[in-house]
Amino acid sequence: MSRSPATGRAFRKSVPYTLPKLTDFSPASLDKAVQDLLSALESESQSVSSENAAKEFRDRWVARKNGIQPQTADWLKTAPKEAKREVGQRVNEIKACVEATVEATQERIQGGSSAAALESERVDVTLPGIRRPLGAEHPVIRTLNETVAVFRAMGYSVAEGPEVETDYYNFEALNFPPNHPARDTQDTLVIADQENKPLRDRLLLRTHTSPVQIRTMEQTKPPIRIVCPGKVHRRDATDASHSPVFHQIEGLAVDTNITFSDLKGTLDHAMKALFGSSVKTRFFPSFFPFTEPSADVAISCIICGGKGCRTCKQTGWVELMGCGMVDPNVFEFVKDRGYDPAKISGFAFGMGVERLAMMKYGIDDIQMLFQGDVRFLEQFA
Ligand code: 2U9
């Protein structure tokens, strides 16, 4: 026999209890029967340790059909008349006791499992937090967006076009002679097996975004002011300042009476907006097939302020762009769309975005912009 710590009642452990049929209804015999039942009840209640077991315990003791407590009605039925009163009292006592124990058991288990749930959800606020690294715009895309924004503020629209182009849009309509060295497969990445097509229809990876300007002029009458940002491809060997894939922003303004002064003022403003108002620009003669006259544009070195340093090779100037007045020969290709070189004029310019980004952020190796090294990129977060 064990004794319940809760009730102090004695109970027998681990004997499966079944309600006995009573033949002897003397008070002593009734006492024993009730005592046995309550011992079993207490013992089984003690061994309940899960919600499922609590449910089984409840069903075993109080289920209307076959529950131990409801079966005690048989005692009353079979009791002789003179014992019925006594037996009825005991049966009621048992009912109250069984119900109270079932309820107490369930409460203990539910209380217990919510304590377990609380325990399992406990948060150790002293643990270090989970780091969520911030993403960052790539420095090339950031520079591209900033530059485009500068021109948008001056009234320019953004135009885009395909990266796989025809020879016509990439070279012919831009006044490149058929034997120009840039057309050579040494410099241009071409799509293979197109020898059966006329030269002008052959596909290649665009070497500049200038084809976008031609395509836009074919579809839009003058005046126009557009910038064309995008990826371009050249068959270049990789080094600290060259990459076979890079980004350009080119621009085109066509209207009546556009002059070289407009070009100078526009680019001078753009460089001041990008690099600071104390930056100076310098234009010096150059050559491009699509502009005449043409110029290269340098800005005063933003590293040394123009005094001379390693970045500017002690010259105080850094070459950043090309530009010029659109060659009348280029307008001839879109003359029937309203671009009559006798009536209109225009300027165009082009810049490499990686080179702008390298100047802006003091990066001395273009490869840093393509390697995807997180230690480099996270500096821009
Ligand atoms: C049309 C007419 C003229 C676009 C121009 C440049 C000068 C130029 C280079 C700068 C560095 C390319 O990325 S880079 O290597 N670009 O120097 N680009 S004028 O001229 C055009 C474009 C379209 C119809």
Side-chain angles (χ1 to χ4, degrees):
M1 282 280 197
S2 302
R3 204 160 276 280
S4 157
T7 63
R9 264 190 233 122
F11 61 89
R12 200 183 292 125
K13 272 186 177 162
S14 69
V15 180
Y17 176 81
T18 48
L19 191 76
K21 295 216 179 312
L22 290 187
T23 47
D24 178 357
F25 290 93
S26 66
S29 159
L30 273 179
D31 273 350
K32 181 170 182 321
V34 171
Q35 189 56 249
D36 286 351
L37 182 145
L38 294 180
S39 293
L41 176 70
E42 192 63 46
S43 163
E44 288 179 29
S45 164
Q46 292 288 317
S47 62
V48 168
S49 61
S50 69
E51 277 189 46
N52 274 349
K55 230 161 142 196
E56 273 173 27
F57 174 71
R58 184 197 60 200
D59 291 346
R60 174 166 152 74
W61 283 90
V62 296
R64 216 166 283 181
K65 227 178 162 188
N66 298 333
I68 293 170
Q69 181 271 317
Q71 286 175 46
T72 55
D74 291 346
W75 287 0
L76 200 56
K77 264 189 232 154
T78 54
K81 233 183 189 167
E82 62 280 8
K84 277 206 195 292
R85 200 180 133 86
E86 178 75 22
V87 175
Q89 267 180 9
R90 302 299 179 102
V91 164
N92 285 342
E93 227 180 272
I94 288 170
K95 186 168 190 277
C97 226
V98 168
E99 282 171 358
T101 307
V102 164
E103 198 174 317
T105 308
Q106 254 166 348
E107 261 171 33
R108 172 169 62 80
I109 293 302
Q110 272 159 12
S113 69
S114 72
L118 279 178
E119 179 60 28
S120 74
E121 285 168 23
R122 187 154 67 164
V123 176
D124 183 351
V125 292
T126 65
L127 285 173
I130 299 164
R131 267 189 82 201
R132 296 185 198 283
L134 281 181
E137 205 168 34
H138 192 279
V140 169
I141 300 303
R142 189 197 283 193
T143 306
L144 187 145
N145 287 340
E146 273 178 32
T147 310
V148 165
V150 166
F151 284 98
R152 280 175 64 93
M154 286 193 269
Y156 284 67
S157 305
V158 179
E160 289 179 312
E163 271 178 57
V164 178
E165 262 297 359
T166 60
D167 184 278
Y168 175 79
Y169 284 112
N170 198 78
F171 291 126
E172 191 177 331
L174 285 154
N175 202 32
F176 281 80
N179 56 351
H180 191 282
R183 284 188 163 190
D184 200 321
T185 52
Q186 294 293 310
D187 288 329
T188 305
L189 293 160
V190 298
I191 308 293
D193 301 331
Q194 300 184 91
E195 288 74 15
N196 56 340
K197 285 187 191 169
L199 176 65
R200 54 161 45 200
D201 295 337
R202 291 185 198 166
L203 297 172
L204 46 80
L205 299 183
R206 70 180 180 191
T207 58
H208 46 187
T209 59
S210 309
V212 182
Q213 278 101 302
I214 298 289
R215 287 175 177 278
T216 307
M217 285 195 285
E218 282 181 345
Q219 278 162 26
T220 322
K221 287 190 166 31
I224 59 163
R225 280 159 180 75
I226 50 168
V227 277
C228 309
K231 207 183 278 176
V232 300
H233 305 255
R234 291 186 188 174
R235 197 178 178 284
D236 256 341
T238 295
D239 65 22
S241 54
H242 291 86
S243 162
V245 181
F246 64 104
H247 297 77
Q248 276 192 335
I249 296 174
E250 288 198 347
L252 175 71
V254 183
D255 206 334
T256 49
N257 300 319
I258 294 271
T259 67
F260 202 89
S261 300
D262 297 321
L263 171 59
K264 286 187 76 176
T266 301
L267 294 186
D268 188 70
H269 168 77
M271 291 303 106
K272 285 180 162 61
L274 281 176
F275 292 104
S277 56
S278 57
V279 156
K280 295 189 188 71
T281 50
R282 197 173 97 164
F283 293 69
F284 50 97
S286 186
F287 173 80
F288 304 108
F290 33 78
T291 46
E292 180 60 33
S294 304
D296 284 325
V297 186
I299 63 165
S300 52
C301 181
I302 59 161
I303 309 289
C304 64
K307 289 191 185 73
C309 68
R310 214 160 55 105
T311 302
C312 63
K313 298 192 187 91
Q314 312 304 329
T315 65
W317 296 94
V318 182
E319 215 176 283
L320 268 192
M321 286 187 290
C323 67
M325 302 305 290
V326 177
D327 193 307
N329 289 344
V330 171
F331 285 137
E332 287 296 331
F333 287 92
V334 283
K335 195 173 177 177
D336 62 339
R337 309 295 165 105
Y339 291 84
D340 181 350
K343 294 182 183 150
I344 47 98
S345 59
F347 66 71
F349 55 87
M351 55 195 111
V353 184
E354 281 75 6
R355 194 156 159 67
L356 289 179
M358 288 167 78
M359 279 306 290
K360 230 171 142 48
Y361 299 114
I363 299 162
D364 60 7
D365 182 355
I366 197 171
Q367 298 309 319
M368 300 299 291
L369 297 169
F370 295 104
Q371 282 162 347
D373 187 329
V374 174
R375 291 166 301 180
F376 169 74
L377 294 173
E378 69 188 359
Q379 297 176 72
F380 298 90

